[in-house]
Amino acid sequence: MNPLRLLRLITRTGRFAEPTPPAPEPAPGVTLPRALRGSVQVRHVDCGSCNGCEIEIGAAFGGVYDAERYGARLVASPRHADVLAVTGVVTHNMVEPLLRTVEATPRPRVIVAIGDCASDCGMFAGAYGVAGAVSDIVDVDLTVPGCPPRPDDIIDALRRVSGR
Amino acid sequence: MTGVLLVILQIIVATAITPLLVGVMRQVRARMEGRVGPGPLQPYRDVRKLLAKEPLRAEGSSVLLVAAPLVLLVSSLLVVALVPLVTTATVIAVPNDLFVVVSLLLVGTVAVALLGLDAGTAFGGMGSSRHMMIAALVEPTVLMSVYALSIPIGTSTLSRIVVARGTDIGRVVTPGGLLAVVALVVVVLAETGRLPVDNPSTHLELTMIHESMLLESAGRDLAWLEVGSWLRLTALLGLVVNLALPWGLASDVRPLPVLLAVGALSVKLLVAGALVAAAEVFMAKVRLFKVPELLAGSFVLAFLAVTASYLAG
């Protein structure tokens, strides 16, 4: 695109991110590590999702919801991550990769199950390829309900961790 | 003694301001993209958090995984100490010669490339080979462009070049000098992994250069790597702004000139960083096979700068 046209677009559009909503109440009964205050790196693990949750995660980190303003960032390696955002029912083939990813994430770490499938198998409960919900395989710290979950709810979970 | 004090001050100031520089660059980019952004202080929080985390090391990895981040950090700190940022004073034992600085940069580059190979992952090796290719194209251009600036002054000591340019404005605005500064800007962007050569905020392993070598590092290893590569950005960007605008550097320890020098460096660095970040919004990453063309172009500029400096001098 012509740089001048792009500059005009940038000045005309200005800020299109939604106004910052108030910080969420701390989740009852959940203690989150204090070391992760202010900065949360997220690694997304898809264990057998239909990609609905992925679209919502993409939206949460996009320009409108802008999860980055709370200090959250998507990263490319579990070694860099503080939060594992797990989506989908855990299929038999993804049990081992999920366990390995958790093992590869340095402590303190927080595991967030995103979406109904990750929380309680959702509509796939009892299907032949399903090993279980995320909490059947690893210890889950936070869950985000919804099919698909709203980007606001995903961001609320991340804000609880980052405390911002 | 004055030199030692000033150089220590320079290291402290540069290290303190470096996360702010990175934060300001990210914030400028976020604002121009219509986002709110995490605020300019986010890199400080990131580093503090990384230092509090457990440094997890892959099974079967060697001592390199621990040593390479430290080598990068120490080499970057040495570069920060040698490049004239706050002061033109030097420690007599260590010459802040152009060739010393370029070799130190190369020590850090090689350490990170070996780190990428260490864990034996596919992306790490790919990143290392790309990184070395870019380093091989960048280093000659850095040498050539600063050499062009050193010809009229007759020394390759960086602080003397800055002093001489500061005392005589006629030396700043010459064809050779301008060409050399433009060539230097291109190679600094390549060396520090900025657009259009590398994307510092990418999540796609296939397009990564710098990031892909760090994929196996965690906790404090990762913190040292991040700080080390940010310090290189501070040092190189600071060198460019001080060559282009060689004013406001302190040469002795009186409080007023020192404060002035710290302020001048902060303003120059942050403005230059904001400009780089704003320019990056208008750029896409170029295809890897186009990178040699870009860098060859900047080498040609540096070569022309040398020729022009000889003809004019």
Side-chain angles (χ1 to χ4, degrees):
Chain A
M1 190 189 273
N2 178 351
L4 274 177
R5 215 183 125 213
L6 186 53
L7 186 65
R8 266 207 304 280
L9 272 174
I10 286 172
T11 46
R12 205 174 58 213
T13 314
R15 199 176 106 171
F16 62 83
E18 298 271 310
T20 307
E25 297 291 313
V30 184
T31 45
L32 294 165
R34 285 202 61 81
L36 306 183
R37 292 272 147 151
S39 163
V40 172
Q41 253 79 315
V42 184
R43 177 69 185 162
H44 170 224
V45 188
D46 178 347
C47 288
S49 165
C50 68
N51 267 12
C53 297
E54 279 65 35
I55 292 172
E56 303 305 323
I57 291 177
F61 283 90
V64 176
Y65 293 95
D66 192 22
E68 233 183 283
R69 76 180 101 170
Y70 313 113
R73 205 153 58 85
L74 284 173
V75 291
S77 165
R79 302 242 186 252
H80 301 183
D82 313 305
V83 167
L84 289 178
V86 189
T87 56
V89 281
V90 184
T91 57
H92 287 301
N93 284 343
M94 282 305 287
V95 174
E96 184 68 33
L98 175 62
L99 288 171
R100 283 192 194 172
T101 311
V102 172
E103 203 185 309
T105 311
R107 287 189 188 82
R109 62 188 170 216
V110 173
I111 299 175
V112 185
I114 292 182
D116 285 346
C117 296
S119 316
D120 57 6
C121 295
M123 66 189 295
F124 296 107
Y128 67 91
V130 172
V134 177
S135 55
D136 300 335
I137 315 288
V138 291
D139 291 331
V140 171
D141 298 288
L142 290 171
T143 52
V144 181
C147 182
R150 294 169 46 82
D152 302 307
D153 297 338
I154 298 174
I155 286 177
D156 275 358
L158 296 178
R159 286 181 80 176
R160 289 204 169 103
V161 182
S162 83
R164 289 176 73 190
Chain B
M1 194 58 214
T2 325
V4 176
L5 276 179
L6 280 170
V7 167
I8 290 172
L9 175 83
Q10 168 164 310
I11 297 176
I12 293 169
V13 169
T15 314
I17 202 177
T18 294
L20 181 67
L21 170 70
V22 175
V24 164
M25 292 176 81
R26 287 189 190 158
Q27 188 66 15
V28 166
R29 188 180 174 88
R31 279 297 159 89
M32 289 187 74
E33 287 175 348
R35 296 185 286 124
V36 183
L41 302 180
Q42 184 63 28
Y44 294 101
R45 298 187 198 106
D46 289 348
V47 170
R48 192 194 60 196
K49 190 231 22 218
L50 282 176
L51 291 176
K53 291 203 71 163
E54 150 201 49
L56 203 58
R57 285 156 192 150
E59 221 176 288
S61 62
S62 74
V63 68
L64 259 175
L65 203 62
V66 185
L70 292 174
V71 171
L72 175 70
L73 183 71
V74 170
S75 74
S76 302
L77 281 172
L78 277 172
V79 170
V80 164
L82 292 181
V83 167
L85 297 172
V86 173
T87 172
T88 52
T90 49
V91 185
I92 295 142
V94 194
N96 71 344
D97 193 272
L98 156 69
F99 296 95
V100 178
V101 170
V102 172
S103 340
L104 273 172
L105 284 175
L106 209 55
V107 169
T109 306
V110 171
V112 179
L114 288 176
L115 172 81
L117 292 172
D118 184 52
T121 57
F123 289 125
M126 205 168 67
S128 295
S129 83
R130 290 173 177 181
H131 190 58
M132 290 321 288
M133 178 192 85
I134 289 171
L137 293 164
V138 159
E139 306 295 345
T141 315
V142 177
L143 281 174
M144 285 290 265
S145 51
V146 185
Y147 177 54
L149 298 175
S150 74
I151 291 166
I153 293 134
T155 171
S156 60
T157 307
L158 290 170
S159 57
R160 289 218 200 117
I161 298 177
V162 171
V163 171
R165 284 166 74 82
T167 47
D168 181 7
I169 191 162
R171 284 195 169 124
V172 179
V173 196
T174 57
L178 291 177
L179 283 170
V181 169
V182 172
L184 208 52
V185 168
V186 176
V187 290
V188 164
L189 294 183
E191 178 76 27
T192 53
R194 314 293 310 181
L195 287 169
V197 175
D198 188 8
N199 186 351
S201 55
T202 182
H203 314 304
L204 296 172
E205 291 90 342
L206 275 174
T207 63
M208 287 176 176
I209 300 176
H210 179 73
E211 278 276 306
S212 62
M213 293 177 290
L214 318 184
L215 287 177
E216 281 299 320
S217 296
R220 95 175 77 90
D221 297 341
L222 183 62
W224 300 146
L225 287 166
E226 296 273 43
V227 174
S229 51
W230 293 344
L231 280 173
R232 283 162 80 104
L233 176 70
T234 306
L236 288 170
L237 204 60
L239 177 64
V240 171
V241 291
N242 276 346
L243 284 172
L245 308 166
W247 298 287
L249 282 86
S251 52
D252 51 35
V253 276
R254 277 177 300 139
L256 191 66
V258 166
L259 273 180
L260 193 75
V262 172
L265 173 78
S266 317
V267 171
K268 281 192 272 191
L269 259 184
L270 295 180
V271 170
L275 285 177
V276 168
E280 280 182 341
V281 174
F282 296 90
M283 266 187 250
K285 182 174 174 296
V286 296
R287 215 154 58 91
L288 190 70
F289 296 113
K290 295 261 186 194
V291 169
E293 284 176 35
L294 179 78
L295 295 176
S298 83
F299 183 78
V300 170
L301 285 181
F303 189 74
L304 285 175
V306 171
T307 318
S309 300
Y310 268 119
L311 291 179

PDB file of all heavy atoms in Angstrom, chain B residues 39-62:
ATOM      1  N   GLY B  39       2.166  -0.501  27.451  1.00  0.00           N
ATOM      2  CA  GLY B  39       2.872   0.558  28.169  1.00  0.00           C
ATOM      3  C   GLY B  39       4.379   0.394  28.011  1.00  0.00           C
ATOM      4  O   GLY B  39       4.872  -0.719  27.857  1.00  0.00           O
ATOM      5  N   PRO B  40       5.121   1.504  28.060  1.00  0.00           N
ATOM      6  CA  PRO B  40       6.562   1.435  27.800  1.00  0.00           C
ATOM      7  C   PRO B  40       7.362   0.715  28.874  1.00  0.00           C
ATOM      8  O   PRO B  40       8.517   0.397  28.659  1.00  0.00           O
ATOM      9  CB  PRO B  40       6.979   2.908  27.703  1.00  0.00           C
ATOM     10  CG  PRO B  40       5.889   3.677  28.341  1.00  0.00           C
ATOM     11  CD  PRO B  40       4.641   2.882  28.206  1.00  0.00           C
ATOM     12  N   LEU B  41       6.763   0.427  30.035  1.00  0.00           N
ATOM     13  CA  LEU B  41       7.520  -0.222  31.104  1.00  0.00           C
ATOM     14  C   LEU B  41       7.399  -1.745  31.076  1.00  0.00           C
ATOM     15  O   LEU B  41       7.972  -2.431  31.911  1.00  0.00           O
ATOM     16  CB  LEU B  41       7.063   0.297  32.474  1.00  0.00           C
ATOM     17  CG  LEU B  41       7.200   1.805  32.666  1.00  0.00           C
ATOM     18  CD1 LEU B  41       6.719   2.216  34.043  1.00  0.00           C
ATOM     19  CD2 LEU B  41       8.647   2.237  32.476  1.00  0.00           C
ATOM     20  N   GLN B  42       6.658  -2.283  30.097  1.00  0.00           N
ATOM     21  CA  GLN B  42       6.418  -3.717  30.052  1.00  0.00           C
ATOM     22  C   GLN B  42       7.710  -4.555  30.020  1.00  0.00           C
ATOM     23  O   GLN B  42       7.800  -5.560  30.725  1.00  0.00           O
ATOM     24  CB  GLN B  42       5.515  -4.068  28.873  1.00  0.00           C
ATOM     25  CG  GLN B  42       5.106  -5.521  28.771  1.00  0.00           C
ATOM     26  CD  GLN B  42       4.278  -5.969  29.956  1.00  0.00           C
ATOM     27  OE1 GLN B  42       3.579  -5.177  30.573  1.00  0.00           O
ATOM     28  NE2 GLN B  42       4.385  -7.237  30.301  1.00  0.00           N
ATOM     29  N   PRO B  43       8.745  -4.177  29.224  1.00  0.00           N
ATOM     30  CA  PRO B  43       9.961  -5.003  29.225  1.00  0.00           C
ATOM     31  C   PRO B  43      10.598  -5.167  30.605  1.00  0.00           C
ATOM     32  O   PRO B  43      11.157  -6.222  30.895  1.00  0.00           O
ATOM     33  CB  PRO B  43      10.891  -4.269  28.263  1.00  0.00           C
ATOM     34  CG  PRO B  43       9.986  -3.567  27.341  1.00  0.00           C
ATOM     35  CD  PRO B  43       8.819  -3.149  28.176  1.00  0.00           C
ATOM     36  N   TYR B  44      10.515  -4.155  31.485  1.00  0.00           N
ATOM     37  CA  TYR B  44      11.045  -4.323  32.848  1.00  0.00           C
ATOM     38  C   TYR B  44      10.298  -5.438  33.560  1.00  0.00           C
ATOM     39  O   TYR B  44      10.889  -6.288  34.225  1.00  0.00           O
ATOM     40  CB  TYR B  44      10.891  -3.031  33.654  1.00  0.00           C
ATOM     41  CG  TYR B  44      11.721  -1.869  33.171  1.00  0.00           C
ATOM     42  CD1 TYR B  44      11.169  -0.866  32.408  1.00  0.00           C
ATOM     43  CD2 TYR B  44      13.066  -1.776  33.509  1.00  0.00           C
ATOM     44  CE1 TYR B  44      11.923   0.214  31.970  1.00  0.00           C
ATOM     45  CE2 TYR B  44      13.839  -0.703  33.081  1.00  0.00           C
ATOM     46  CZ  TYR B  44      13.256   0.293  32.315  1.00  0.00           C
ATOM     47  OH  TYR B  44      14.005   1.343  31.891  1.00  0.00           O
ATOM     48  N   ARG B  45       8.936  -5.435  33.425  1.00  0.00           N
ATOM     49  CA  ARG B  45       8.140  -6.486  34.078  1.00  0.00           C
ATOM     50  C   ARG B  45       8.484  -7.855  33.500  1.00  0.00           C
ATOM     51  O   ARG B  45       8.602  -8.830  34.229  1.00  0.00           O
ATOM     52  CB  ARG B  45       6.645  -6.221  33.863  1.00  0.00           C
ATOM     53  CG  ARG B  45       6.173  -4.921  34.472  1.00  0.00           C
ATOM     54  CD  ARG B  45       4.654  -4.800  34.388  1.00  0.00           C
ATOM     55  NE  ARG B  45       4.242  -3.439  34.577  1.00  0.00           N
ATOM     56  CZ  ARG B  45       3.810  -2.637  33.610  1.00  0.00           C
ATOM     57  NH1 ARG B  45       3.679  -3.098  32.371  1.00  0.00           N
ATOM     58  NH2 ARG B  45       3.490  -1.390  33.849  1.00  0.00           N
ATOM     59  N   ASP B  46       8.668  -7.909  32.157  1.00  0.00           N
ATOM     60  CA  ASP B  46       8.990  -9.189  31.522  1.00  0.00           C
ATOM     61  C   ASP B  46      10.294  -9.744  32.084  1.00  0.00           C
ATOM     62  O   ASP B  46      10.379 -10.924  32.431  1.00  0.00           O
ATOM     63  CB  ASP B  46       9.125  -9.005  30.004  1.00  0.00           C
ATOM     64  CG  ASP B  46       7.776  -8.742  29.346  1.00  0.00           C
ATOM     65  OD1 ASP B  46       6.750  -8.923  30.006  1.00  0.00           O
ATOM     66  OD2 ASP B  46       7.770  -8.341  28.161  1.00  0.00           O
ATOM     67  N   VAL B  47      11.314  -8.881  32.188  1.00  0.00           N
ATOM     68  CA  VAL B  47      12.618  -9.359  32.655  1.00  0.00           C
ATOM     69  C   VAL B  47      12.520  -9.789  34.115  1.00  0.00           C
ATOM     70  O   VAL B  47      13.039 -10.842  34.501  1.00  0.00           O
ATOM     71  CB  VAL B  47      13.690  -8.273  32.466  1.00  0.00           C
ATOM     72  CG1 VAL B  47      14.986  -8.667  33.161  1.00  0.00           C
ATOM     73  CG2 VAL B  47      13.952  -8.034  30.990  1.00  0.00           C
ATOM     74  N   ARG B  48      11.824  -8.992  34.945  1.00  0.00           N
ATOM     75  CA  ARG B  48      11.680  -9.333  36.364  1.00  0.00           C
ATOM     76  C   ARG B  48      11.001 -10.696  36.504  1.00  0.00           C
ATOM     77  O   ARG B  48      11.434 -11.545  37.292  1.00  0.00           O
ATOM     78  CB  ARG B  48      10.852  -8.254  37.057  1.00  0.00           C
ATOM     79  CG  ARG B  48      10.873  -8.356  38.570  1.00  0.00           C
ATOM     80  CD  ARG B  48       9.785  -7.505  39.164  1.00  0.00           C
ATOM     81  NE  ARG B  48       8.478  -7.931  38.709  1.00  0.00           N
ATOM     82  CZ  ARG B  48       7.359  -7.228  38.802  1.00  0.00           C
ATOM     83  NH1 ARG B  48       7.401  -6.010  39.296  1.00  0.00           N
ATOM     84  NH2 ARG B  48       6.219  -7.691  38.379  1.00  0.00           N
ATOM     85  N   LYS B  49       9.966 -10.917  35.695  1.00  0.00           N
ATOM     86  CA  LYS B  49       9.263 -12.187  35.763  1.00  0.00           C
ATOM     87  C   LYS B  49      10.163 -13.346  35.335  1.00  0.00           C
ATOM     88  O   LYS B  49      10.204 -14.378  35.995  1.00  0.00           O
ATOM     89  CB  LYS B  49       8.012 -12.134  34.882  1.00  0.00           C
ATOM     90  CG  LYS B  49       7.123 -13.301  35.073  1.00  0.00           C
ATOM     91  CD  LYS B  49       6.688 -14.018  33.832  1.00  0.00           C
ATOM     92  CE  LYS B  49       7.523 -13.866  32.604  1.00  0.00           C
ATOM     93  NZ  LYS B  49       6.703 -13.794  31.408  1.00  0.00           N
ATOM     94  N   LEU B  50      10.895 -13.135  34.214  1.00  0.00           N
ATOM     95  CA  LEU B  50      11.762 -14.216  33.718  1.00  0.00           C
ATOM     96  C   LEU B  50      12.805 -14.589  34.760  1.00  0.00           C
ATOM     97  O   LEU B  50      13.157 -15.761  34.913  1.00  0.00           O
ATOM     98  CB  LEU B  50      12.448 -13.780  32.425  1.00  0.00           C
ATOM     99  CG  LEU B  50      11.583 -13.830  31.172  1.00  0.00           C
ATOM    100  CD1 LEU B  50      12.352 -13.288  29.989  1.00  0.00           C
ATOM    101  CD2 LEU B  50      11.146 -15.254  30.889  1.00  0.00           C
ATOM    102  N   LEU B  51      13.326 -13.597  35.495  1.00  0.00           N
ATOM    103  CA  LEU B  51      14.350 -13.891  36.497  1.00  0.00           C
ATOM    104  C   LEU B  51      13.775 -14.679  37.662  1.00  0.00           C
ATOM    105  O   LEU B  51      14.499 -15.401  38.350  1.00  0.00           O
ATOM    106  CB  LEU B  51      14.986 -12.590  37.002  1.00  0.00           C
ATOM    107  CG  LEU B  51      15.858 -11.866  35.972  1.00  0.00           C
ATOM    108  CD1 LEU B  51      16.366 -10.557  36.531  1.00  0.00           C
ATOM    109  CD2 LEU B  51      17.024 -12.748  35.542  1.00  0.00           C
ATOM    110  N   ALA B  52      12.447 -14.560  37.885  1.00  0.00           N
ATOM    111  CA  ALA B  52      11.828 -15.278  39.001  1.00  0.00           C
ATOM    112  C   ALA B  52      11.441 -16.699  38.605  1.00  0.00           C
ATOM    113  O   ALA B  52      11.009 -17.477  39.452  1.00  0.00           O
ATOM    114  CB  ALA B  52      10.585 -14.525  39.476  1.00  0.00           C
ATOM    115  N   LYS B  53      11.571 -17.044  37.334  1.00  0.00           N
ATOM    116  CA  LYS B  53      11.114 -18.366  36.898  1.00  0.00           C
ATOM    117  C   LYS B  53      12.248 -19.383  36.949  1.00  0.00           C
ATOM    118  O   LYS B  53      13.421 -19.035  36.951  1.00  0.00           O
ATOM    119  CB  LYS B  53      10.554 -18.288  35.471  1.00  0.00           C
ATOM    120  CG  LYS B  53       9.263 -17.506  35.411  1.00  0.00           C
ATOM    121  CD  LYS B  53       8.441 -17.873  34.218  1.00  0.00           C
ATOM    122  CE  LYS B  53       7.859 -19.236  34.363  1.00  0.00           C
ATOM    123  NZ  LYS B  53       6.751 -19.484  33.449  1.00  0.00           N
ATOM    124  N   GLU B  54      11.824 -20.641  36.956  1.00  0.00           N
ATOM    125  CA  GLU B  54      12.794 -21.734  37.010  1.00  0.00           C
ATOM    126  C   GLU B  54      13.453 -21.868  35.626  1.00  0.00           C
ATOM    127  O   GLU B  54      12.745 -21.914  34.623  1.00  0.00           O
ATOM    128  CB  GLU B  54      12.029 -23.004  37.377  1.00  0.00           C
ATOM    129  CG  GLU B  54      12.564 -24.294  36.848  1.00  0.00           C
ATOM    130  CD  GLU B  54      11.498 -25.384  36.822  1.00  0.00           C
ATOM    131  OE1 GLU B  54      10.382 -25.157  36.325  1.00  0.00           O
ATOM    132  OE2 GLU B  54      11.798 -26.455  37.295  1.00  0.00           O
ATOM    133  N   PRO B  55      14.793 -21.873  35.553  1.00  0.00           N
ATOM    134  CA  PRO B  55      15.414 -22.027  34.231  1.00  0.00           C
ATOM    135  C   PRO B  55      15.414 -23.497  33.818  1.00  0.00           C
ATOM    136  O   PRO B  55      16.296 -24.259  34.193  1.00  0.00           O
ATOM    137  CB  PRO B  55      16.833 -21.490  34.428  1.00  0.00           C
ATOM    138  CG  PRO B  55      17.102 -21.626  35.874  1.00  0.00           C
ATOM    139  CD  PRO B  55      15.796 -21.699  36.606  1.00  0.00           C
ATOM    140  N   LEU B  56      14.414 -23.862  33.064  1.00  0.00           N
ATOM    141  CA  LEU B  56      14.257 -25.258  32.650  1.00  0.00           C
ATOM    142  C   LEU B  56      15.201 -25.533  31.485  1.00  0.00           C
ATOM    143  O   LEU B  56      15.244 -24.767  30.533  1.00  0.00           O
ATOM    144  CB  LEU B  56      12.801 -25.441  32.216  1.00  0.00           C
ATOM    145  CG  LEU B  56      12.209 -26.831  32.249  1.00  0.00           C
ATOM    146  CD1 LEU B  56      12.294 -27.401  33.644  1.00  0.00           C
ATOM    147  CD2 LEU B  56      10.763 -26.748  31.813  1.00  0.00           C
ATOM    148  N   ARG B  57      15.954 -26.603  31.587  1.00  0.00           N
ATOM    149  CA  ARG B  57      16.880 -26.921  30.494  1.00  0.00           C
ATOM    150  C   ARG B  57      16.556 -28.288  29.923  1.00  0.00           C
ATOM    151  O   ARG B  57      16.323 -29.234  30.684  1.00  0.00           O
ATOM    152  CB  ARG B  57      18.323 -26.867  30.992  1.00  0.00           C
ATOM    153  CG  ARG B  57      18.742 -25.412  31.167  1.00  0.00           C
ATOM    154  CD  ARG B  57      19.862 -25.232  32.137  1.00  0.00           C
ATOM    155  NE  ARG B  57      19.983 -23.805  32.449  1.00  0.00           N
ATOM    156  CZ  ARG B  57      20.420 -23.330  33.611  1.00  0.00           C
ATOM    157  NH1 ARG B  57      20.784 -24.136  34.554  1.00  0.00           N
ATOM    158  NH2 ARG B  57      20.499 -22.029  33.793  1.00  0.00           N
ATOM    159  N   ALA B  58      16.592 -28.374  28.591  1.00  0.00           N
ATOM    160  CA  ALA B  58      16.173 -29.611  27.936  1.00  0.00           C
ATOM    161  C   ALA B  58      17.135 -30.733  28.285  1.00  0.00           C
ATOM    162  O   ALA B  58      18.336 -30.509  28.465  1.00  0.00           O
ATOM    163  CB  ALA B  58      16.120 -29.411  26.427  1.00  0.00           C
ATOM    164  N   GLU B  59      16.553 -31.954  28.345  1.00  0.00           N
ATOM    165  CA  GLU B  59      17.370 -33.126  28.585  1.00  0.00           C
ATOM    166  C   GLU B  59      18.341 -33.287  27.423  1.00  0.00           C
ATOM    167  O   GLU B  59      17.952 -33.138  26.262  1.00  0.00           O
ATOM    168  CB  GLU B  59      16.435 -34.343  28.619  1.00  0.00           C
ATOM    169  CG  GLU B  59      16.734 -35.354  29.687  1.00  0.00           C
ATOM    170  CD  GLU B  59      15.683 -36.435  29.664  1.00  0.00           C
ATOM    171  OE1 GLU B  59      14.532 -36.146  30.076  1.00  0.00           O
ATOM    172  OE2 GLU B  59      15.985 -37.534  29.207  1.00  0.00           O
ATOM    173  N   GLY B  60      19.613 -33.598  27.706  1.00  0.00           N
ATOM    174  CA  GLY B  60      20.571 -33.830  26.637  1.00  0.00           C
ATOM    175  C   GLY B  60      21.201 -32.574  26.088  1.00  0.00           C
ATOM    176  O   GLY B  60      22.044 -32.645  25.203  1.00  0.00           O
ATOM    177  N   SER B  61      20.813 -31.410  26.594  1.00  0.00           N
ATOM    178  CA  SER B  61      21.460 -30.186  26.118  1.00  0.00           C
ATOM    179  C   SER B  61      22.772 -30.001  26.871  1.00  0.00           C
ATOM    180  O   SER B  61      22.948 -30.494  27.980  1.00  0.00           O
ATOM    181  CB  SER B  61      20.546 -28.982  26.330  1.00  0.00           C
ATOM    182  OG  SER B  61      20.309 -28.815  27.703  1.00  0.00           O
ATOM    183  N   SER B  62      23.702 -29.285  26.254  1.00  0.00           N
ATOM    184  CA  SER B  62      25.037 -29.173  26.821  1.00  0.00           C
ATOM    185  C   SER B  62      25.156 -27.907  27.670  1.00  0.00           C
ATOM    186  O   SER B  62      24.188 -27.180  27.883  1.00  0.00           O
ATOM    187  CB  SER B  62      26.069 -29.154  25.704  1.00  0.00           C
ATOM    188  OG  SER B  62      26.026 -27.910  25.064  1.00  0.00           O
TER     189      SER B  62
END
